[in-house]
Amino acid sequence: MSSLKDRMALLESDLKADPPRISVYHDLPFAILRHNPTDEWELRQDTKLLATRLEAIGKIVHMIPMSELLWGALAKVSQQDEDEGFEAVVALEKERGYLEAQRQVTTYLSNKVWVPLWDFLADRLAGINPENSVVFLTRVAAMSPGIFQVSLLLDKLHGKTKVPTILCYPGSIEGTTGLRFMELKDRDALGNYRVKIYG
C-alpha cells in the first residue's frame, strides 16, 4: 500500500493532465482519495498544498467540507418543516438515544421527501465551471459512524455534474476496491468499480 504522499502525487498528476485522468466516464467525473482516519490533519495540510499547486496552473479549487453539507441539509429540512430538522434530532436523541437520532438524520439525507445529500451537493456544484475547476469533498468523517453511507454519494451523483470531484475518504482498503469507512470493524468493505480509487 502506497503512502498518502504517493497517492496525492498520483492524483496531482492525473488532475494536471489534459484532459484530467481521474475518471473513465464523462458523466461520472469522480475519484476517491483514501486516507487513514488518523491521517486527517496530514490530509488537510497536503490538500491545501495541492490546491495551491493546481491554482498555479490555472485551476479553480473548491474545498467543500461534508460537515458543512450535513448542517446545511439539516437547516434546509428545518426550513421545509418547523417540526423537523436539527431541533427535532436533538429532541429525538434526548428521548430515544443517539441511534434513533442518527437514523432520523439518515432519513433526512437519503429520502426524496427531505433533502437527499446527493441532490444538495449537485445544487452546490451547479454553479461551478467544470472546465477549469476541481472540487475536494473534505471532512468526510462528519458522516460517521452511520449518519450517511458515503460510498453511495458518488454513485447517486452520476449524471448530475461534470465537475471533477475528489472524495477524501477516511478508511481502510481491502483488495483494490473494498473500502471500510472509518475502519469500523462492524462495517462491510464496500467496492466501487466505476470510480478510480487512490488507495
Side-chain angles (χ1 to χ4, degrees), residues 93-159:
E93 182 176 7
K94 288 178 181 175
E95 184 181 319
R96 294 197 205 155
Y98 174 76
L99 288 177
E100 279 300 314
Q102 181 176 268
R103 277 194 272 278
Q104 186 60 49
V105 172
T106 301
T107 299
Y108 290 150
L109 300 179
S110 304
N111 190 309
K112 283 281 186 193
V113 171
W114 298 109
V115 185
L117 193 60
W118 51 90
D119 287 343
F120 193 66
L121 177 55
D123 289 346
R124 178 85 179 264
L125 297 176
I128 297 174
N129 181 354
E131 297 302 317
N132 63 345
S133 299
V134 178
V135 168
F136 286 89
L137 298 176
T138 61
R139 302 193 183 195
V140 179
M143 298 297 169
S144 68
I147 290 174
F148 184 81
Q149 194 169 343
V150 178
S151 59
L152 290 176
L153 185 61
L154 299 182
D155 281 341
K156 294 286 190 177
L157 277 170
H158 189 174

Side-chain angles (χ1 to χ4, degrees), residues 31-52:
I32 294 172
L33 174 62
R34 188 206 61 84
H35 65 283
N36 296 329
T38 55
D39 292 339
E40 179 69 25
W41 294 111
E42 179 185 353
L43 173 87
R44 290 183 193 184
Q45 182 63 31
D46 288 350
T47 305
K48 286 178 187 173
L49 294 172
L50 174 56
T52 301

Side-chain angles (χ1 to χ4, degrees):
M1 180 168 43
S2 61
S3 70
L4 178 58
K5 289 201 182 308
D6 291 340
R7 296 192 297 273
M8 294 280 286
L10 181 56
L11 173 61
E12 180 175 355
S13 174
D14 287 350
L15 285 170
K16 286 181 173 178
D18 188 19
R21 294 187 302 252
I22 65 163
S23 62
V24 177
Y25 307 100
H26 74 283
D27 59 348
L28 194 67
F30 311 124
I32 294 172
L33 174 62
R34 188 206 61 84
H35 65 283
N36 296 329
T38 55
D39 292 339
E40 179 69 25
W41 294 111
E42 179 185 353
L43 173 87
R44 290 183 193 184
Q45 182 63 31
D46 288 350
T47 305
K48 286 178 187 173
L49 294 172
L50 174 56
T52 301
R53 292 191 299 273
L54 291 172
E55 287 166 350
I57 62 162
K59 299 281 188 187
I60 299 170
V61 179
H62 303 265
M63 300 286 186
I64 301 178
M66 292 294 289
S67 52
E68 184 181 299
L69 291 175
L70 170 63
W71 295 117
L74 287 175
K76 192 169 180 182
V77 168
S78 296
Q79 290 170 357
Q80 290 175 356
D81 187 335
E82 291 179 8
D83 296 328
E84 299 295 338
F86 181 73
E87 296 300 326
V89 170
V90 171
L92 187 60
E93 182 176 7
K94 288 178 181 175
E95 184 181 319
R96 294 197 205 155
Y98 174 76
L99 288 177
E100 279 300 314
Q102 181 176 268
R103 277 194 272 278
Q104 186 60 49
V105 172
T106 301
T107 299
Y108 290 150
L109 300 179
S110 304
N111 190 309
K112 283 281 186 193
V113 171
W114 298 109
V115 185
L117 193 60
W118 51 90
D119 287 343
F120 193 66
L121 177 55
D123 289 346
R124 178 85 179 264
L125 297 176
I128 297 174
N129 181 354
E131 297 302 317
N132 63 345
S133 299
V134 178
V135 168
F136 286 89
L137 298 176
T138 61
R139 302 193 183 195
V140 179
M143 298 297 169
S144 68
I147 290 174
F148 184 81
Q149 194 169 343
V150 178
S151 59
L152 290 176
L153 185 61
L154 299 182
D155 281 341
K156 294 286 190 177
L157 277 170
H158 189 174
K160 293 181 183 288
T161 184
K162 292 187 177 179
V163 179
T165 302
I166 312 302
L167 176 69
C168 298
Y169 186 96
S172 55
I173 189 164
E174 296 180 14
T176 55
T177 60
L179 295 170
R180 187 182 306 275
F181 187 56
M182 295 298 293
E183 298 180 343
L184 296 169
K185 300 300 180 195
D186 61 337
R187 291 284 184 86
D188 292 331
L190 302 173
N192 188 322
Y193 297 94
R194 297 184 303 158
V195 174
K196 189 169 186 176
I197 300 172
Y198 295 85

